[in-house]
Structures are given as structure tokens and as C-alpha cells.
Amino acid sequence: HDAKIDALMSSSNLKQGTKGEMVEALFFRRFVLATRTASKDSRLALKLVGQKQKGTPPLQPPDKDKLDQCLRMFSDVSTRWCSKKDMATVLLNALATLEQGAATLLLPFESNMKAFDGVLVFSLDSKPCFLFLQATIAARHPTSPQATDYLNSMIGAVPEGAVGALVFVLPNYRYESWQVQDIADKCVKSIMQFALRFRVC
């Protein structure tokens, strides 16, 4: 149950890193389930958070309303695992093999990607869309210089004309108050940020 999961994570004496890994795995399973059950009810909540640095983002951001609708309508979400060093190649391959109305969730073998935990690849308004997903239970989640370098390299691999954003996947008790997160000084600092919450019951 959603409330019990949130209570467990907020009160548990587990180390923060262990909690984070549990939440990451749990939230991505929630994601796949929620896309199959969300339809037009309140199971999914998406909000535009903004940019840490104003200016032209390195990826054209998706329209919030269209993205919200699209996330509720996938015919299927498949999961594909790979090493983070191969993520850029697998990302492009996932785009090339997408079925109409479906999405691919790319997850790394490594336990900590730092900048993001996975990439959701799908088509939005006939354009390739790449959502860099970061699951967290923390009150804030800044991106370090090393992690920002990796995010920057991944965005550089995205084909021209694509849309995308950095999306924080959050528990209920963090979602409403979530603000723009700090990103180390790179051109990716101006990437558009969203917050996403799923309720499974």
C-alpha cells in the first residue's frame, strides 16, 4: 500500500544509500504498474518544476500536458538492462526498435548512476522523447560535477529534434514541496526539471 511504503521509508533505520537503492527499484516497478492502470484518475501526478539556470535548455522540453497524457497511455513498458558505459548506444537502439504506443525503460547494472537512475524512451507527438529519471526520497538531490558530466554526455548522444527532461520520481511526502535542484556548472544546468509521483492504490 502506498501510505505504508512511504511510512516505512521515512521512518526506517536503514542507511540512506540502502534506502535509496530500495526506493529506486521499487519506484521503477511502480512506474511500470502505474502506466498500465493510471488512465485518467489520480494515480499519476506530474508537475513542471523549472530550470536551475535560465536559458535555452540542452534538450527541448516536452509539453507538460502532452507528457502527462502520454505517460498514462503506454500500451507497454519494457525494461532493458545495460552497463552505464553502453547506455548511449542502447538508448539509440531502444529508440530504433520502439513499437507504436510503447516505451522502453533503460536501467543500469551499476547501483549508482548519480545523475539519474534510468532513461525512459518513447515517442511524444511524433518526436523521440528521453526522460532522465532520478528516484529519490531525499529532501533535495543536487547533481555533482562528475554526475553532471555523465548526464551531459548522454544528452549529447540524443538525436537532433528530440525532446527530453530531468524527472525526479518522488514519494508522496516529497512531491508537493519539491523545488528546482542544483546542477553543477555545465550547459546541462539549464535542462528542464519535472517531478513525478505514482500512486498504486
Side-chain angles (χ1 to χ4, degrees), residues 119-141:
V119 187
L120 186 68
V121 183
F122 58 101
S123 180
L124 180 65
D125 243 9
S126 301
K127 294 181 179 180
C129 185
F130 300 88
L131 298 185
F132 296 91
L133 306 175
Q134 175 64 66
T136 184
I137 58 173
R140 51 190 296 273
H141 201 291

Side-chain angles (χ1 to χ4, degrees), residues 4 11 19 23 62 87 121-122 147 149-150 160 162 165 172 194-195:
K4 291 180 180 178
S11 63
K19 280 187 182 183
V23 167
M87 184 70 76
V121 183
F122 58 101
D149 282 341
Y150 182 72
E160 187 175 349
N172 297 329
F194 288 79

